[in-house]
Amino acid sequence: MSTSPQGVAILGSTGSIGTTALRVLQRHTDRFRVRALTAFSNVALLGEQVALVRPSFVGLVRYGAEPRLEWACGTGCLVEAAQREDVSIVINAVVGAAGLDATLAAVRAGKRVALANKETLVMAGPLVRAACREGGGEIIPVDSEHSAILQCLSGRSATDVRRLILTASGGPFRAWSRERVAGATVAEALQHPTWHMGRKISIDSATLANKALEVIEAHFLFGLSYDRIEVVVHPQSVVHSFVEFVDGSVMAQLGFPSMELPVLYALTHPERVADMGVPPFDPIEMSPLTFERVRLDDFPALRLGIAAGRRAGAAPAVFNAANEQAVALFLEGRIAFGDIPRAIAAALDAHGGVDGSTRDALGDADRVARRFVKELFRC
Amino acid sequence: MSTSPQGVAILGSTGSIGTTALRVLQRHTDRFRVRALTAFSNVALLGEQVALVRPSFVGLVRYGAEPRLEWACGTGCLVEAAQREDVSIVINAVVGAAGLDATLAAVRAGKRVALANKETLVMAGPLVRAACREGGGEIIPVDSEHSAILQCLSGRSATDVRRLILTASGGPFRAWSRERVAGATVAEALQHPTWHMGRKISIDSATLANKALEVIEAHFLFGLSYDRIEVVVHPQSVVHSFVEFVDGSVMAQLGFPSMELPVLYALTHPERVADMGVPPFDPIEMSPLTFERVRLDDFPALRLGIAAGRRAGAAPAVFNAANEQAVALFLEGRIAFGDIPRAIAAALDAHGGVDGSTRDALGDADRVARRFVKELFRC
């Protein structure tokens, strides 16, 4: 245990993961001190949080009329918060591609990044890995699946692993017919059966695009080829993922579906600290645990995403950007649910092969894919 | 990885665990060399094994007319094999109290004991722990439940653990009425639903005495109080046990019910080596996984055993000996299934408080309890 508290920055403090992280950190003030908070646009909640934890840095990405000149504003505040001297752990809970630069800045500055921003590794896995090597920083996943895998690995390397098996709840449409899924409404798609999450990720869970993003993340986090990463549907969301080792042993991490534990573990890894944030585990209450095959043909976003991961280069960034844009259009009521995978497929066909070797090239690929999707639906 | 193969002694090589261990070792001759084999009485199979692996020491515990004078014979051969210079790992797969002295000798000589002999820790946990400290030896469990816990711990200590949850198949009488269980036949009691094992342990699984022995073993192996060790019924025997950590995270080790993996892991721990002994894990095939409360009132041996563990001293040895004797009488058709827990309870009432502070005292307690059970049924 360290003697003085570690400084923590929370990027995206007003979102679902950010508020969970603050709750967890308030229980462990002996170990952690919140030094920086940034939010996208929720000034009211951010103000409350500032009053509560009194950070030394506050950032607001989208600023309007608020005359808060002592606050850093604009996208740059994410990078600024991530690089601060008084911060050693950066909780990156920003949604979307904006989180990437903050991650890169943090690992280059030698920080630990507790990463909830999926786009970081999906868009730019190789760049992020290089930046970690350069700056001595590290990425610790906050996603429940990747946290489970990290815990199952317990310091073992990829050479000890035969397969990762990521669990997927299957989302709200797990048992729906393909035809019915194609016409699902926004309200239906937001009804996640086991997790309460933000809107974007809830839609991604319904299309299974979220699981594709997680497969790509797992590839970069744990250094395993796509052949060795599988997905199984597990409607109860109790088993957060499996690792099968080379000797045939299978480890799993389980628990009540709550993000508190993955957030806490990302802060303390490889240590564990006593915490009562999740209810005691009761296998009887959680019984039965069931597992099903993924309906790949009926949820094409998953297969498209994994194919983009295998294709590498800018393809994962194009997958991600096309998905992000299509989900935004779906949430605005401008396209149908079934249009989301269609948009992704078309964007990958048109632009999946563009250059992805630099941060700038990936930014271009991201913009091109978004524009392509908007034009596809004349939005 | 070590450069020259490690010498291995298998005590109880012709039994269920012993033959499994030989099969596993034959796949890993680059790492391990079998130096010593001992069997109880199965000379024919032992002879085959000797021809196969050509050990430098062979022991036979119960010897009759066989003029095999180059073999060490009698109980002493176990200790002799366990102490040999060319042996660094002792697989103790002996059934019953006879395994204890071999374990003590091995750990005093600084060896690793891959322990399948439950009686070692149940009878003499504190003595074995002291002998490990003295001689620098170590105990690595071979039981699937304890192997699972060891794997879940991954080097973490008891202070990181909130609870152990041992899984129990529930045995062949899991869903039987109490009345029907009391009159179960030998053939019925030997029909274990998920594991193929020796006769003694199969009966112990039917009474749940086996789970009591495992709770006591877990107490000594992992240094946790009995309040922090729970049992849950899991009929599929796929989850081999759970560990709940102080931060609320729960780890489990899973797999097809096979002893090959626990045997291999006991040899290689903390390393893992590639092995194809168990079929690939398929959660879908194993679905659903169910968990139920233990019927403590209907399977009194479990509660009696845990109470004996808490009472400590000679009580666990008396529990074990009374159970062993009662199971033998049941297998001989001389007492009813329901008489087994009755015998245990009576033996603990009469002799549970005798001295258990030395090896000799424990031997006396063992003998007294056996004699008591025989007299109880006038056998």
Side-chain angles (χ1 to χ4, degrees):
Chain A
M1 199 204 284
S2 54
T3 46
S4 69
Q6 289 180 279
V8 178
I10 307 180
L11 314 187
S13 67
T14 57
S16 163
I17 296 288
T19 52
T20 300
L22 258 182
R23 206 161 53 239
V24 168
L25 287 161
Q26 291 294 98
R27 291 201 297 272
H28 298 279
T29 49
D30 54 325
R31 290 177 164 262
F32 305 108
R33 187 95 7 116
V34 178
R35 297 294 188 193
L37 292 175
T38 80
F40 183 63
S41 62
N42 188 342
V43 180
L45 180 53
L46 183 60
E48 281 177 36
Q49 294 177 337
V50 168
L52 184 71
V53 303
R54 300 175 180 280
S56 45
F57 178 92
V58 187
L60 183 66
V61 173
R62 176 176 290 174
Y63 53 107
E66 303 78 15
R68 301 263 191 178
L69 293 185
E70 75 275 30
W71 292 12
C73 293
T75 320
C77 75
L78 300 174
V79 168
E80 206 177 324
Q83 288 177 321
R84 288 177 61 84
E85 284 249 332
D86 59 357
V87 161
S88 55
I89 304 176
V90 176
I91 301 176
N92 188 343
V94 169
V95 176
L100 170 57
D101 292 313
T103 298
L104 286 169
V107 296
R108 283 199 187 112
K111 320 274 191 209
R112 164 175 294 193
V113 176
L115 187 66
N117 173 264
K118 289 190 201 293
E119 292 75 7
T120 288
L121 285 168
V122 171
M123 279 186 72
L127 294 185
V128 173
R129 278 162 62 151
C132 285
R133 280 193 299 273
E134 249 173 63
E138 61 177 349
I139 305 281
I140 308 291
V142 168
D143 255 356
S144 63
E145 292 81 357
H146 303 93
S147 177
I149 291 167
L150 183 70
Q151 293 178 61
C152 290
L153 287 174
S154 272
R156 294 181 195 277
S157 70
T159 57
D160 274 350
V161 175
R162 194 184 286 164
R163 277 186 306 161
L164 307 180
I165 306 175
L166 277 76
T167 53
S169 71
F173 307 143
R174 178 177 62 88
W176 286 30
S177 72
R178 193 197 304 208
E179 295 66 34
R180 194 174 161 210
V181 171
T185 67
V186 170
E188 288 166 338
L190 288 174
Q191 291 298 315
H192 197 272
T194 50
W195 292 95
H196 297 285
M197 306 179 292
R199 289 160 63 87
K200 158 71 166 53
I201 190 173
S202 292
I203 303 302
D204 285 352
S205 295
T207 60
L208 298 196
N210 184 51
K211 211 47 60 173
L213 297 172
E214 289 177 4
V215 168
I216 299 171
E217 280 189 283
H219 166 78
F220 288 114
L221 279 169
F222 305 113
L224 285 159
S225 71
Y226 289 100
D227 294 336
R228 293 158 73 194
I229 306 175
E230 295 179 12
V231 175
V232 66
V233 171
H234 169 47
Q236 298 83 26
S237 299
V238 167
V239 177
H240 298 318
S241 280
F242 298 100
V243 175
E244 185 180 49
F245 289 99
V246 288
D247 58 4
S249 184
V250 176
M251 304 294 300
Q253 190 262 330
L254 304 88
F256 186 79
S258 154
M259 287 309 293
E260 303 225 350
L261 175 72
V263 166
L264 177 63
Y265 188 73
L267 298 171
T268 65
H269 166 84
E271 282 183 54
R272 294 186 180 279
V273 299
D275 186 89
M276 299 303 281
V278 286
F281 180 70
D282 182 355
I284 296 166
E285 192 186 305
M286 292 170 178
S287 178
L289 301 179
T290 64
F291 302 92
E292 306 167 7
R293 224 160 287 287
V294 187
R295 293 166 53 198
L296 280 174
D297 293 333
D298 301 331
F299 294 91
L302 176 54
R303 190 176 271 157
L304 288 167
I306 296 174
R310 288 179 188 269
R311 194 169 170 186
V318 169
F319 169 80
N320 174 64
N323 177 58
E324 221 172 294
Q325 186 61 65
V327 169
L329 294 177
F330 172 69
L331 284 171
E332 291 165 15
R334 304 171 75 169
I335 65 174
F337 188 80
D339 288 332
I340 300 173
R342 213 165 299 137
I344 297 169
L348 281 167
D349 275 348
H351 301 289
V354 302
D355 178 34
S357 56
T358 63
R359 172 68 187 92
D360 284 348
L362 291 167
D364 289 345
D366 180 274
R367 274 184 295 278
V368 164
R370 284 170 204 267
R371 198 182 321 122
F372 175 87
V373 170
K374 281 202 235 177
E375 284 169 4
L376 187 68
F377 298 106
R378 304 175 207 292
C379 296
Chain B
M1 199 205 284
S2 54
T3 46
S4 69
Q6 289 180 279
V8 178
I10 308 180
L11 313 187
S13 67
T14 58
S16 162
I17 297 287
T19 52
T20 301
L22 258 182
R23 207 161 51 239
V24 169
L25 287 161
Q26 291 295 97
R27 290 202 298 271
H28 297 279
T29 50
D30 54 326
R31 292 179 164 260
F32 304 108
R33 186 92 10 113
V34 178
R35 297 294 189 193
L37 292 175
T38 80
F40 183 63
S41 62
N42 190 341
V43 180
L45 180 52
L46 182 60
E48 281 177 37
Q49 293 177 337
V50 168
L52 184 70
V53 303
R54 301 175 179 278
S56 46
F57 179 93
V58 187
L60 183 66
V61 173
R62 176 176 289 173
Y63 53 107
E66 301 79 14
R68 301 261 189 179
L69 294 184
E70 74 276 30
W71 292 13
C73 292
T75 320
C77 75
L78 299 176
V79 168
E80 208 176 322
Q83 288 177 321
R84 288 179 60 85
E85 285 249 333
D86 59 357
V87 161
S88 55
I89 304 176
V90 176
I91 301 176
N92 189 343
V94 170
V95 176
L100 169 58
D101 292 314
T103 298
L104 286 170
V107 296
R108 282 196 188 113
K111 320 274 191 211
R112 165 175 295 193
V113 176
L115 187 68
N117 172 264
K118 289 190 201 291
E119 293 76 7
T120 289
L121 285 169
V122 171
M123 280 186 71
L127 295 184
V128 173
R129 277 162 62 150
C132 285
R133 280 193 299 273
E134 251 172 60
E138 61 177 349
I139 305 279
I140 307 292
V142 168
D143 255 356
S144 63
E145 293 80 357
H146 303 94
S147 178
I149 291 168
L150 183 69
Q151 293 177 62
C152 290
L153 286 174
S154 271
R156 294 182 195 275
S157 71
T159 55
D160 274 350
V161 175
R162 195 185 284 163
R163 275 187 307 162
L164 308 179
I165 306 176
L166 277 75
T167 52
S169 71
F173 307 144
R174 178 176 62 87
W176 287 30
S177 72
R178 193 197 302 209
E179 295 65 34
R180 194 174 162 210
V181 171
T185 68
V186 170
E188 287 167 337
L190 288 174
Q191 291 299 314
H192 196 273
T194 51
W195 292 95
H196 297 283
M197 305 179 292
R199 289 160 63 86
K200 157 72 164 53
I201 190 174
S202 292
I203 303 301
D204 286 351
S205 294
T207 61
L208 297 196
N210 185 51
K211 211 47 60 174
L213 297 172
E214 290 177 5
V215 168
I216 299 170
E217 280 189 284
H219 165 77
F220 287 116
L221 279 169
F222 304 113
L224 284 159
S225 70
Y226 288 99
D227 295 336
R228 293 159 72 195
I229 306 174
E230 295 179 13
V231 175
V232 67
V233 171
H234 170 47
Q236 297 84 24
S237 300
V238 167
V239 177
H240 297 318
S241 279
F242 298 99
V243 175
E244 184 180 51
F245 289 98
V246 289
D247 58 5
S249 184
V250 176
M251 304 294 299
Q253 190 262 330
L254 305 87
F256 186 80
S258 155
M259 288 308 293
E260 303 225 349
L261 174 72
V263 166
L264 177 63
Y265 189 72
L267 298 170
T268 65
H269 167 84
E271 280 183 56
R272 294 186 181 279
V273 300
D275 186 89
M276 299 304 281
V278 286
F281 180 70
D282 182 355
I284 295 165
E285 194 186 304
M286 292 169 177
S287 177
L289 302 178
T290 64
F291 301 92
E292 307 167 6
R293 223 160 287 287
V294 187
R295 293 165 53 198
L296 280 174
D297 293 333
D298 301 330
F299 295 91
L302 176 54
R303 190 177 271 156
L304 287 166
I306 296 174
R310 289 180 188 268
R311 193 169 170 186
V318 168
F319 169 80
N320 174 63
N323 178 57
E324 220 171 296
Q325 186 60 65
V327 169
L329 295 176
F330 172 70
L331 284 171
E332 291 165 14
R334 302 171 78 168
I335 66 173
F337 189 81
D339 288 333
I340 300 172
R342 214 165 299 136
I344 297 169
L348 281 168
D349 275 348
H351 300 289
V354 303
D355 178 34
S357 57
T358 64
R359 173 68 186 91
D360 285 348
L362 290 167
D364 290 344
D366 181 273
R367 274 185 295 277
V368 164
R370 285 170 204 268
R371 198 182 321 122
F372 174 87
V373 170
K374 281 201 234 177
E375 283 168 4
L376 186 68
F377 297 106
R378 303 174 209 290
C379 295

